[in-house]
């Protein structure tokens, strides 16, 4: 049985320190009011860049620059860096996993073979779900945290939707259709972490993911600003308005009729709101229709229906009003 849990944003330093290996730069040290040290995982709480391992910088740096950092700062030999470079440039799917299982170097490692077999299994499930066009097996993806015991993953938004970043992008010449907007989620499998807190030390298989909410909101705001389309801030379909004073009760009667019919309607509760104020509210909040009542409309048994986007107005009989509103809102 699978269970879902929410984990804390901050964790006690003693609980998580030893799981980060040498990459303590991934932790913010904070103190609570009692002086207790609490670390926050930068990688998951902000999702604002690649984690510390050098190869994970390939989405922002050319391979030659990454190689220099590995050799000069990480003290790897040129030969070792070149061998790593052969693999981290690879991207694909199930076919890549199958090819690597036959690779002379990879096939010598039981751990590598086990991981590649798991990737093959993963892609067989992705095929069943018909989402293989949304997922890429990327050997340059890395995490600077040693509590991961299996697959790691990252969700990336591009200008054209979710798409793999091409080799050209990694070499510093981004393809137009795959311009990366950035990571919006990340995580992986960590079967040994939860067992740390079990008195009996039992192994608890776990998979976790953290979503960069602030980054998603930022991207949505940017898209909204760039789009000419009005962003709706309400689900209201109709505003019941009045053109003259002393029609509050009539407005309340009509809005109640609309509510009873399952139509999402709204009315200003001021006794005598100005018609212009009511219309401006609809335009600002994206309400598509206005049902306007006036003394003449009440005498004639009609409602003046205004289309906010075009500012067109039609006289509709009260008997036909519900059907007309449903027709227009369904078309919209």
């Amino acid at each position: 049985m699978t269970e879902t849990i929410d984990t804390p944003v901050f964790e006690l330093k003693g609980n998580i320190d030893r799981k980060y290996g040498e990459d303590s730069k991934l932790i913010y040290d904070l103190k609570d009011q009692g002086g207790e040290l609490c670390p926050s995982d930068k990688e998951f709480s902000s999702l604002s860049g690649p984690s510390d391992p050098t190869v994970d910088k390939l989405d922002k740096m050319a391979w030659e620059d990454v190689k220099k950092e590995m050799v000069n700062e990480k003290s790897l030999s040129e030969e070792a860096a070149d061998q790593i470079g052969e693999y981290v440039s690879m991207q694909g799917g199930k076919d890549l996993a199958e090819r690597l299982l036959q690779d002379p170097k990879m096939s010598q490692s039981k751990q590598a073979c086990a991981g590649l077999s798991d990737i093959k299994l993963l892609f067989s499930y992705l095929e069943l779900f018909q989402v293989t066009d949304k997922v890429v097996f990327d050997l340059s993806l890395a995490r600077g945290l040693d509590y991961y015991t299996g697959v790691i993953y990252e969700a990336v938004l591009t200008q054209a939707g979710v798409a793999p970043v091409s080799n050209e992008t990694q070499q510093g010449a981004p393809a137009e259709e795959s311009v990366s907007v950035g990571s919006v989620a990340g995580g992986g499998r960590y079967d040994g972490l939860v067992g740390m807190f079990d008195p009996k030390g039992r192994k608890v298989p776990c998979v976790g993911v953290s979503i960069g909410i602030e980054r998603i909101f930022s991207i949505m705001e940017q898209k909204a600003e760039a789009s000419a389309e009005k962003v709706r801030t309400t689900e209201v379909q109709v505003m019941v308005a009045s053109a003259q004073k002393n029609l509050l009760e009539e407005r309340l009667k009509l809005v109640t009729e609309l509510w009873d019919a399952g139509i999402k309607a709204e009315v200003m509760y001021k006794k005598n709101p100005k018609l212009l104020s009511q219309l401006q509210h609809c335009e600002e909040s994206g309400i598509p229709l206005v049902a306007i009542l006036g003394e003449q409309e009440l005498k004639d048994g009609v409602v003046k229906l205004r289309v906010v986007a075009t500012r067109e107005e039609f006289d509709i009989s009260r008997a036909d009003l519900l059907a007309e509103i449903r027709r227009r809102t369904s078309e919209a």
Side-chain angles (χ1 to χ4, degrees), residues 101-136:
L101 280 169
Q102 307 303 318
D103 182 273
K105 295 172 185 172
M106 285 284 192
S107 59
Q108 293 177 18
S109 167
K110 288 184 179 179
Q111 193 173 13
C113 289
L116 290 167
S117 297
D118 284 347
I119 292 293
K120 276 186 61 178
L121 180 60
L122 171 62
F123 270 89
S124 69
Y125 292 137
L126 294 174
E127 287 170 359
L128 292 174
F129 285 119
Q130 299 180 6
V131 291
T132 51
D133 61 321
K134 303 291 192 300
V135 182
V136 61

Side-chain angles (χ1 to χ4, degrees), residues 37 60 67 104 119 132 166 243 247 249 256 260 284:
L37 274 172
K60 293 180 175 64
K67 179 182 173 182
I119 292 293
T132 51
S166 66
L247 292 175
E249 290 185 5
T256 302
D260 289 343
E284 290 168 1

